[in-house]
Amino acid sequence: MENEKTTIENLRKQFADVFGDGGDVRVYFAPGRVNLIGEHTDYNGGHVFPCALTIGTYAVARKRDDRKLRMYSVNFPQSGVIESSLDGLSYRAEDGWTNYPKGVLWAAAERGFAADRGLDILYCGTIPNSSGLSSSASIEVLTGEILRDMFGFTYNGITNAKIGQRAENAFIGVNCGIMDQFAIAMGKKDHAIFLDTATLAYEYAPIAMDGVKIVIMNTNHKRGLGESKYNERRAECEEALAEMQTAAAIPSLGALTEAEFEAMADAIASPVRRRRAKHAVYENRRTIRAVEALKQGDLAEFGRLMNESHVSLRDDYEVTGRELDTLVEAAWKVPGVIGARMTGAGFGGCAVCLVKEENVEQLIREVGEQYERTIGYPATFYVVEIGDGPGRLG
Ligand code: GLA
């Protein structure tokens, strides 16, 4: 791991440059995530199937003798060191990206895990920002990991994920589900996580796809989750569920089969909300079926369901947009492509593609050309590996 050693040394050097030498300085990492299938199901009590990536966020941290928080990001050097305090933690626009780690300190304290001393922390992310690969959840889970290790807190990975989600919901104001933080906090090398968001029961599924690569295709169309239609979609689903609940006792959209949904769909007054709910129900069933196909070694069926997922997100849920559709529809035409779909919240960000190893270069070339011709600027491609959850590196 010569590479990792160099990375750690470099990070320590940068930390010393910003915050000075000495003391108990520790280095940590948390991954980003990509979701293979099960999109916009996690706040509907459905299933998801994400995995952690080997790209993510590094941090170097040291306790302080006072209650100050001083944070610096290698990704936002122009912001310099942003200072706040453990006392009166609250969202402040001028604190920029540090609202994410501050939110975690706040949410951890709310659960009884209050840091009693301030911290100096340097962050360094290798996930492109606003790409839909969960750079913010990565920072959140990483911060939870730092607190756990530095202050000897006893919470497990699932609690760490819940702290991150709470920070996102109540501190940042994005009404996200648990998928991103869970996938990151519980990540396992070469495995995807089949998670039932209604119960948090989960199962690791080995992703051993001989001769097949996971390629992430970035639209480079920036997406702000908060400003996006994410919260609106969630509200539409909640309203549709409430309408159906006037007809029958249903705990969540994720609890329904397709047939049960179709039998009751008339209870939803608006055709738009009916389509939103339909996606949530069908996508959940697709996810269950896709994992089953993978277990049977039927990768072709898994890919077909990925494609179906994209169509549903495009036509019924309407969260793809021109950039993502261009990428995915171009990928479908390339030989060796097993499946391709948008991943994450949508509205820009990234798509994920399973492709035979020998066709990776062709995919990048042909989709790249088509995308730039249609959209006017280039897409970016990453051939990724599935990595482990968060931890201390040194
Ligand atoms: C974002 C949210 C997740 C999930 C996805 C859509 O990534 O943070 O909770 O809802 O969108 O599947």
Side-chain angles (χ1 to χ4, degrees):
M1 294 295 280
E2 197 46 48
N3 233 343
E4 183 168 296
K5 226 177 118 194
T6 322
T7 307
I8 294 172
E9 273 165 20
N10 266 330
L11 287 165
R12 282 181 176 276
K13 223 174 277 155
Q14 294 190 65
F15 180 87
D17 285 348
V18 176
F19 294 111
D21 283 322
D24 180 6
V25 178
R26 303 183 186 183
V27 184
Y28 302 86
F29 175 78
R33 71 94 188 91
V34 65
N35 188 22
L36 297 177
I37 193 162
E39 217 66 81
H40 289 280
T41 50
D42 68 342
Y43 49 84
N44 285 308
H47 291 75
V48 292
F49 196 51
C51 46
L53 298 171
T54 53
I55 52 172
T57 318
Y58 294 87
V60 189
R62 182 176 59 201
K63 278 191 197 171
R64 297 178 54 88
D65 293 329
D66 55 20
R67 293 180 59 80
K68 277 186 191 158
L69 295 167
R70 303 189 76 229
M71 299 181 188
Y72 179 87
S73 169
V74 174
N75 304 87
F76 301 104
Q78 68 283 4
S79 305
V81 173
I82 299 179
E83 193 173 306
S84 49
S85 161
L86 286 175
D87 301 309
L89 284 168
S90 61
Y91 184 93
R92 295 195 319 182
E94 64 269 31
D95 289 347
W97 65 271
T98 68
N99 282 303
Y100 291 95
K102 276 173 49 190
V104 170
L105 280 145
W106 169 84
E110 188 191 56
R111 273 189 179 250
F113 303 108
D116 57 2
R117 281 164 66 183
L119 292 157
D120 290 333
I121 315 180
L122 173 136
Y123 289 87
C124 175
T126 57
I127 308 167
N129 294 319
S130 304
S131 61
L133 302 178
S134 290
S135 56
S136 54
S138 179
I139 293 176
E140 287 157 3
V141 171
L142 178 62
T143 306
E145 187 64 21
I146 294 171
L147 296 182
R148 175 160 75 161
D149 184 65
M150 292 211 124
F151 295 95
F153 296 147
T154 50
Y155 52 78
N156 61 17
I158 297 181
T159 301
N160 189 9
K162 287 182 182 167
I163 290 171
Q165 186 197 17
R166 173 81 181 144
E168 190 84 42
N169 293 167
F171 201 87
I172 303 294
V174 177
N175 231 343
C176 68
I178 190 75
M179 172 170 74
D180 302 345
Q181 290 81 5
F182 197 101
I184 290 168
M186 301 298 287
K188 182 169 164 165
K189 189 173 164 41
D190 295 331
H191 289 73
I193 309 174
F194 182 44
L195 170 69
D196 180 348
T197 63
T199 59
L200 294 194
Y202 67 99
E203 189 188 318
Y204 289 110
I207 305 285
M209 305 180 296
D210 273 348
V212 173
K213 291 283 175 195
I214 303 174
V215 179
I216 292 178
M217 313 186 286
N218 190 347
T219 60
N220 290 319
H221 178 74
K222 297 273 184 248
R223 163 194 62 86
L225 250 193
E227 306 137 10
S228 77
K229 304 233 167 214
Y230 185 90
N231 288 349
E232 183 187 299
R233 287 293 176 281
R234 184 170 181 155
E236 287 167 339
C237 285
E238 281 164 3
E239 208 176 327
L241 175 66
E243 287 170 288
M244 292 179 88
Q245 283 168 333
T246 60
I250 308 159
S252 70
L253 294 176
L256 297 176
T257 63
E258 293 96 330
E260 285 164 350
F261 171 75
E262 296 300 344
M264 286 183 279
D266 282 349
I268 305 169
S270 113
V272 170
R273 277 198 304 279
R274 218 173 298 142
R275 281 191 284 121
R276 306 294 191 244
K278 179 178 176 200
H279 167 78
V281 171
Y282 279 63
E283 178 76 355
N284 178 45
R285 306 306 297 179
R286 239 188 318 268
T287 305
I288 296 169
R289 249 179 248 131
V291 175
E292 197 47 48
L294 198 67
K295 283 185 185 160
Q296 312 282 320
D298 191 349
L299 201 55
E301 174 66 2
F302 187 87
R304 198 189 63 73
L305 292 164
M306 284 177 78
N307 298 349
E308 229 178 73
S309 163
H310 186 85
V311 170
S312 175
L313 287 155
R314 183 190 67 193
D315 299 343
D316 285 336
Y317 218 62
E318 295 182 282
V319 291
T320 58
R322 199 161 153 257
E323 294 81 5
L324 280 166
D325 289 339
T326 302
L327 273 185
V328 169
E329 286 161 25
W332 287 343
K333 296 195 186 110
V334 178
V337 167
I338 293 154
R341 55 180 289 278
M342 59 149 268
T343 185
F347 315 103
C350 286
V352 59
C353 179
L354 298 187
V355 57
K356 293 206 173 120
E357 206 163 353
E358 64 264 31
N359 298 104
V360 168
E361 269 176 37
Q362 185 182 4
L363 172 89
I364 295 175
R365 192 179 56 245
E366 290 180 5
V367 175
E369 278 169 16
Q370 170 75 54
Y371 185 80
E372 192 161 356
R373 231 186 357 258
T374 312
I375 303 297
Y377 54 84
T380 316
F381 298 84
Y382 325 98
V383 182
V384 296
E385 306 287 337
I386 303 179
D388 278 318
R392 182 173 166 189
L393 302 182

